[in-house]
Amino acid sequence: MTGSNEPRKKNGTIKVDYMARVEGEGALFIKLKNDRVQDVKLKIFEPPRLFEALLQGRHFSEAPDITARICGICPIAYQMSSVHAIERALGVNIHPMVRQLRRLLYAGEWIESHVLHIYMLHAPDFLGYRDFVELAKDHPSEATEALRLKKLGNQIMTVLGGREIHPVSVAVGGFYKTPAKADLEKLTEELKWALDIACAKLKFLAGFEYPDFEQTYEFVALSHPSDYPLNEGRLVSNKGLNIDASQYEDYFVEQHIKHSNALHSVIRGRGSYHVGPLARFNLNYSRLPEVARQVAEHCGLRVPCLNPFKSILARAVEVVFAIQESLRIIQSYEPPPAPRASFEIRPATGYSITEAPRGIQYNRYSVDERGLIIQVKIVPPTSQNQKRIEDDLRNFVPSIVSQPVEEIARRCEQAVRNYDPCISCATHFLKLTLERE
Amino acid sequence: MMRIIGCGNPDRADDAAGILVARRLRELGLDSMEHSGDGFALLDLWQGADDVVLVDAMLSGAPPGTITVWDPASQPAGAPGYCCSTHAFGPAEAIELGRALGRLPSRIRVYGIEASGFDTGGAPRAEVLDAVDRVVNELSRYRGLAPLGTAATMSGSEVG
C-alpha cells in the first residue's frame, strides 16, 4: 500500500491517493474548468475477477459456495441469487419454511453489512472524524453498540450458515442442514435488545447535518406483494418499470467503460439509476413493518426521499426491519420436513434478482443435461450504481466548488459512500484526483 | 488468564507465521488460538483474558525472520490502515479501537515476525520458519499458559 490519504496539489491536479472507508479499491477523477465540472470518472482498476468464466463447466451445486467468495461482506447475496436462478431453471419449488430461513439468513447479512457501513464507514464523514477509531473515542456507547449489532448479524449467519463469512449451508433446493428451533431461539434475547438499540440510534443518525442536495432519480428495486423485498419479487421503478427477472437484459445493458474494470449498467434509453436502501425504502415503504415505519417517521425520513446523503437513514431503517423480520421468522419457525427439495436435472436457463445490502443483484445461469454450468451472468449492485455515483458527483460538485480543495475531496468521498460501493464485488481503495484548468 | 492468538493466513506464504506459532504451541499441549486477524472479532477474542499475546507477520523493512516485540499499552500499534478499507481492519486497528473503548486487556504484547512474501499458496521462507521456532520456544516457557483444552481453542473460520 503506498500513498497517503491527504489531498495534495500538484501542477493543478489535486490527488487523494486512497479514498477512505470503502469496500475495495478504486479511484475517483474529477476535472474542473472555471469551476465547472468537465469530467467525472469513478475508476475501478482492480483486475476483473472472472467468476463468470470460472463457473463454466462446474456443477450447479458448486455455484453458491464459489460465488460466495466474490465478497466477504455480502456472500449471502451471491449465494441467494445463484440458488434462486438455478432453482428457477430446474423448476425447483422450495418449502415455505426454507423461504423463511433464507429471508432470516439474508436479514443477518443486511444487519452485519448495514451496521458496518453506517457506523464504521459512513458516520465518521458526518461527524468530521478521520475514521471509526476516532469516532469511538468521542462516542464510545454508539461504537460499542454498533459492534454488538454487527456481531448479531454475524451470529445469525453463523447459526444458519455454519460460519459468518462465506457460509457453507446454502444449497440448491434449500439448505444442506436446517437449524433446530432451539438454535434460533437462542438469538431472540439479543434480537430484542438490538431492536430497541437500532430504533434509539436512529435519533443519533438523524441528528447529523445533511447536505441540501436532491436529485431526480429512477429508483429500482424488487417489489413483492406482501413482503419488504429480499429474495423475490418483480423489478419495479418509480418511472414505470415493472418486469420479471427474465426480462432484465431486455431493459438493462452493461457497458464497457475505458476507465473502469467494472461494467457500467444503464437502463436502455434512460441512463443511470439508483439501487440500494434508498430505492427500496422509496418503493417499498408500505411493506416495512410498523416499527420501522414509525422510526422512519420519527426521524423525518419520508417518501419520496431524494437526498442520497440520507441513504444512511434508509439503511438504518432497514436494520430495524431486518431485526424485526428475524424475530418474526424465529417466532414462527418450525423445521421443514427435509432440508432441501428433490428435483430432476434438465438443461435450462434460469434468472433471479435478489436484494443485496447495497442493491439489486441480477443472475442468469444456464445448465446442461448433466447439471454442468454452461454460462453465467452476474450483475452486482455496485456496477448498477457506478454511473449514478458519477452523475451525483457531477451535480454535487458545483455546490461545493468554492470550498477548499481538501473539503471538496472530503465531500466527494462522502457522496460516493452514500452508495456503500463494494468495489471488490464489482470487479478494491478509491484514489481521488481533482484537476482544475 | 493468558491467551495467545496467532493471526494470519496459512495459505499466503510468510503470512502463515502467526498461525504456525499457534499450531506448534497446541502440539506442545499449550492452548492458543488461530485467527484470520479480523480486527472486530479480535476485540471479542481477547475479552476475559488479562494477558494477551498476538503473533502476526509484519512488514517493517527489517530482514525476513526478524522478531519484534512491543507493548501496545505504552506504544501505539501503528498508523491505522483501516481508513482505507474494511478489508484492512487488522490487529493494529483492533488495538487502537480497544484502547479507545477501554477494551484492551490489562497486559498485551505483540510478537511481529518480519515477512517478505505473501504469494498465494506459497510456503513460508526458511527465515520465517526459524523465527516461528524461536517465538514458540519463548512463549512455551511462559508461566500461566493454559494446558490445551482448558481454554477456548478455535480456528479463524469459526470466529471470522
Side-chain angles (χ1 to χ4, degrees):
Chain A
M1 191 183 297
T2 58
S4 80
N5 293 306
E6 303 303 322
R8 65 174 189 271
K9 200 166 184 176
K10 186 181 177 186
N11 298 329
T13 300
I14 299 108
K15 275 186 167 184
V16 178
D17 284 342
Y18 302 119
M19 180 179 146
R21 291 175 267 122
V22 293
E23 314 280 7
E25 301 167 15
L28 186 62
F29 173 87
I30 299 174
K31 187 175 179 181
L32 299 172
K33 187 175 182 181
N34 298 326
D35 281 354
R36 296 177 71 105
V37 179
Q38 296 291 302
D39 197 12
V40 175
K41 290 175 182 163
L42 180 60
K43 300 179 173 181
I44 293 181
F45 49 77
E46 178 163 316
R49 305 283 298 278
L50 305 174
F51 269 85
E52 291 161 326
L54 185 69
L55 284 158
Q56 287 179 20
R58 312 292 299 206
H59 195 264
F60 70 78
S61 59
E62 296 181 282
D65 291 324
I66 291 174
T67 55
R69 266 64 177 185
I70 292 172
C71 185
I73 306 293
C74 53
I76 303 299
Y78 291 93
Q79 294 192 313
M80 290 296 115
S81 298
S82 63
V83 294
H84 283 297
I86 295 166
E87 286 165 0
R88 189 162 161 179
L90 302 179
V92 182
N93 292 312
I94 61 170
H95 190 276
M97 204 51 78
V98 165
R99 176 182 185 272
Q100 295 298 313
L101 283 177
R102 286 183 174 174
R103 282 182 69 82
L104 178 59
L105 182 59
Y106 225 148
E109 178 166 281
W110 274 29
I111 295 169
E112 164 264 321
S113 178
H114 277 2
V115 171
L116 172 72
H117 190 264
I118 292 168
Y119 294 94
M120 291 139 206
L121 305 185
H122 211 187
D125 285 332
F126 291 91
L127 296 171
Y129 297 116
R130 179 174 175 268
D131 57 31
F132 181 59
V133 173
E134 276 194 2
L135 183 150
K137 287 175 187 165
D138 290 345
H139 301 277
S141 67
E142 277 73 19
T144 300
E145 286 156 358
L147 287 168
R148 188 169 161 187
L149 281 171
K150 180 181 179 299
K151 186 177 176 185
L152 173 61
N154 289 342
Q155 286 171 325
I156 293 172
M157 292 166 70
T158 301
V159 169
L160 277 167
R163 60 188 189 187
E164 63 196 35
I165 299 175
H166 307 143
V168 292
S169 68
V170 174
V172 174
F175 289 87
Y176 288 108
K177 182 185 178 186
T178 49
K181 189 172 176 68
D183 295 332
L184 298 185
E185 286 177 336
K186 288 174 187 165
L187 296 165
T188 300
E189 283 309 306
E190 190 68 2
L191 280 163
K192 288 179 179 173
W193 167 86
L195 187 59
D196 288 345
I197 286 296
C199 289
K201 286 307 159 197
L202 255 156
K203 194 186 238 180
F204 170 70
L205 301 170
F208 292 171
E209 189 178 327
Y210 290 92
D212 184 15
F213 177 71
E214 293 193 341
Q215 292 289 280
T216 303
Y217 290 116
E218 177 153 11
F219 290 112
V220 175
L222 285 180
S223 177
H224 184 272
S226 57
D227 298 335
Y228 198 75
L230 283 165
N231 292 56
E232 57 195 288
R234 288 181 68 82
L235 193 65
V236 304
S237 84
N238 54 324
K239 299 206 172 161
L241 184 80
N242 187 334
I243 61 170
D244 179 78
S246 60
Q247 299 172 281
Y248 178 90
E249 291 174 57
D250 297 334
Y251 290 83
F252 295 80
V253 62
E254 288 185 300
Q255 299 173 332
H256 285 279
I257 304 295
K258 193 177 177 184
H259 63 259
S260 176
N261 283 341
L263 298 168
H264 268 202
S265 187
V266 294
I267 299 181
R268 292 180 196 272
R270 301 216 284 265
S272 68
Y273 55 102
H274 185 137
V275 304
L278 199 59
R280 289 190 294 252
F281 176 84
N282 281 320
L283 294 169
N284 292 281
Y285 178 80
S286 64
R287 274 85 165 178
L288 281 168
E290 188 177 351
V291 63
R293 291 201 306 267
Q294 282 177 355
V295 290
E297 178 75 21
H298 192 65
C299 73
L301 186 66
R302 295 184 181 89
V303 174
C305 176
L306 305 176
N307 185 339
F309 290 91
K310 291 191 175 176
S311 64
I312 191 173
L313 293 175
R315 201 168 277 115
V317 168
E318 286 193 335
V319 172
V320 173
F321 152 72
I323 296 168
Q324 173 64 24
E325 182 70 353
S326 299
L327 279 164
R328 184 192 69 75
I329 293 168
I330 290 173
Q331 194 174 17
S332 64
Y333 176 68
E334 293 297 335
R340 58 188 184 277
S342 55
F343 51 88
E344 299 290 328
I345 298 172
R346 65 185 187 194
T349 296
Y351 311 84
S352 77
I353 300 173
T354 73
E355 288 282 357
R358 31 195 74 70
I360 58 164
Q361 189 200 90
Y362 168 75
N363 274 206
R364 166 170 48 84
Y365 276 77
S366 297
V367 298
D368 68 14
E369 69 283 357
R370 297 168 296 171
L372 300 184
I373 295 169
I374 301 167
Q375 196 177 45
V376 179
K377 184 178 179 69
I378 299 173
V379 186
T382 298
S383 285
Q384 317 219 33
N385 273 333
Q386 195 180 343
K387 186 168 188 330
R388 187 59 249 179
I389 295 171
E390 292 182 350
D391 290 348
D392 273 13
L393 289 166
R394 197 171 284 112
N395 298 331
F396 179 58
V397 167
S399 68
I400 55 172
V401 78
S402 61
Q403 297 185 22
V405 165
E406 291 78 5
E407 183 62 10
I408 295 173
R410 191 185 75 79
R411 289 294 199 174
C412 286
E413 293 180 22
Q414 181 180 9
V416 172
R417 288 188 204 104
N418 289 335
Y419 291 84
D420 184 11
C422 191
I423 295 170
S424 302
C425 284
T427 72
H428 235 67
F429 315 122
L430 203 53
K431 184 172 83 173
L432 187 139
T433 304
L434 187 61
E435 190 174 294
R436 288 183 195 267
E437 277 188 13
Chain B
M1 186 177 71
M2 186 175 186
R3 185 165 295 164
I4 295 177
I5 305 169
C7 301
N9 184 337
D11 299 316
R12 295 296 295 269
D14 294 349
D15 197 28
I19 300 290
L20 293 176
V21 168
R23 288 180 184 175
R24 289 282 305 283
L25 285 169
R26 287 211 300 280
E27 287 167 9
L28 296 171
L30 300 169
D31 228 331
S32 60
M33 294 175 170
E34 293 176 29
H35 191 257
S36 67
D38 168 59
F40 296 121
L42 279 176
L43 285 174
D44 289 326
L45 269 189
W46 64 52
Q47 199 166 353
D50 49 22
D51 187 358
V52 167
V53 174
L54 290 179
V55 188
D56 200 0
M58 67 179 287
L59 281 175
S60 69
T66 302
I67 299 168
T68 307
V69 183
W70 73 93
D71 173 10
S74 59
Q75 201 176 345
Y82 148 67
C83 60
C84 296
S85 164
T86 50
H87 294 223
F89 192 91
E93 292 74 24
I95 288 167
E96 292 312 315
L97 184 56
R99 195 195 313 278
L101 295 174
R103 287 176 62 181
L104 274 186
S106 52
R107 187 177 187 208
I108 181 166
R109 284 159 294 170
V110 178
Y111 280 69
I113 297 177
E114 191 73 18
S116 69
F118 300 95
D119 46 308
T120 305
R125 61 172 55 221
E127 297 94 321
V128 170
L129 292 174
D130 285 345
V132 166
D133 287 345
R134 283 180 280 141
V135 172
V136 167
N137 284 339
E138 183 168 331
L139 293 178
S140 62
R141 290 199 301 268
Y142 280 164
R143 298 172 67 179
L145 190 56
L148 191 60
T150 57
T153 301
M154 54 188 81
S155 72
S157 63
E158 290 175 281
V159 294

